[in-house]
Amino acid sequence: MSKPLLLLDVDGVLNPFAAPPGRMPQGFRQHLMRPRAWIAQHPHLLETDVEDLPVWLNADHGAELLDLPYDLVWATTWEDDSNRFIGPVIGLPALPVITWSAPHAYPPDGTYFKTADIVRYAAGRPFAWVDDQLGPADRDYVARHHPGPALLYDTDPETGLGLDDFEALARWAGNLTTQV
Ligand SMILES: [Mg+2]
């Protein structure tokens, strides 16, 4: 049986960007980055005038993710820039990337702009989707449109992924294999 997919967001998951000043969880270091999605948020500035984006990352996360019984996929507005900027810092190889059909355009049904694309990408394959912006409309959409098992796993953007989360994700994938 093939492994389930682990669909990974960056901001709020690997990067606890909302941690209060001085309260960054242990093990994280700040990096200054210039992803295209960040530059695009400053259309009124020349690209050279856009300040670097501070990004907090935990160098252990790559190995911890690779240890999980999943196939990893980027599911972030960083799109392919996560392979350029994030993967090398935390020790991940280049991963497949989901590209968004309408980034930041929120559908009228209240779902996140990623949700329909996530379900389309998974194409029925079991997946865990790790993101800090999941809501009831997304759970409902996945339940109605995705025929296989799915875990919508919400993270706190103040802390990002922690040990408990890795354990929960491993447990969910483990339960899948025993069910089949
Ligand atoms: Mg996020």
Side-chain angles (χ1 to χ4, degrees):
M1 197 188 88
S2 66
K3 291 188 251 181
L5 300 166
L6 185 64
L7 311 175
L8 264 182
D9 185 26
V10 169
D11 296 309
V13 174
L14 295 177
N15 170 27
F17 68 91
R23 298 267 309 277
M24 186 53 57
Q26 254 198 330
F28 287 81
R29 273 194 45 211
Q30 194 195 65
H31 304 266
L32 298 176
M33 298 181 172
R34 302 178 61 75
R36 277 164 292 189
W38 171 246
I39 291 166
Q41 283 179 38
H42 302 82
H44 53 291
L45 289 181
L46 287 172
E47 185 172 331
T48 46
D49 290 339
V50 176
E51 289 187 21
D52 292 342
L53 172 70
V55 178
W56 291 87
L57 294 171
N58 183 327
D60 294 337
H61 274 174
E64 288 166 354
L65 287 165
L66 290 170
D67 272 350
L68 291 172
Y70 289 87
D71 288 333
L72 306 178
V73 176
W74 291 119
T76 159
T77 52
W78 289 61
E79 295 192 334
D80 195 43
D81 272 353
S82 39
N83 280 325
R84 268 179 77 200
F85 290 96
I86 307 291
V89 173
I90 63 174
L92 285 177
L95 302 177
V97 174
I98 301 180
T99 50
W100 311 113
S101 45
H104 304 295
Y106 286 82
D109 63 2
T111 55
Y112 192 20
F113 69 81
K114 294 178 180 177
T115 311
D117 288 335
I118 292 273
V119 168
R120 205 172 302 130
Y121 184 91
R125 198 170 155 188
F127 69 85
W129 176 18
V130 188
D131 203 288
D132 61 323
Q133 293 190 66
L134 303 171
D138 303 303
R139 296 177 195 286
D140 185 53
Y141 184 96
V142 170
R144 284 187 291 113
H145 293 93
H146 177 70
L151 172 68
L152 272 64
Y153 194 87
D154 208 10
T155 57
D156 179 350
E158 291 195 10
T159 55
L161 276 182
L163 223 65
D164 290 357
D165 302 311
F166 285 102
E167 283 167 11
L169 290 165
R171 209 176 310 127
W172 187 80
N175 288 341
L176 271 188
T177 39
T178 54
Q179 279 165 23
V180 176

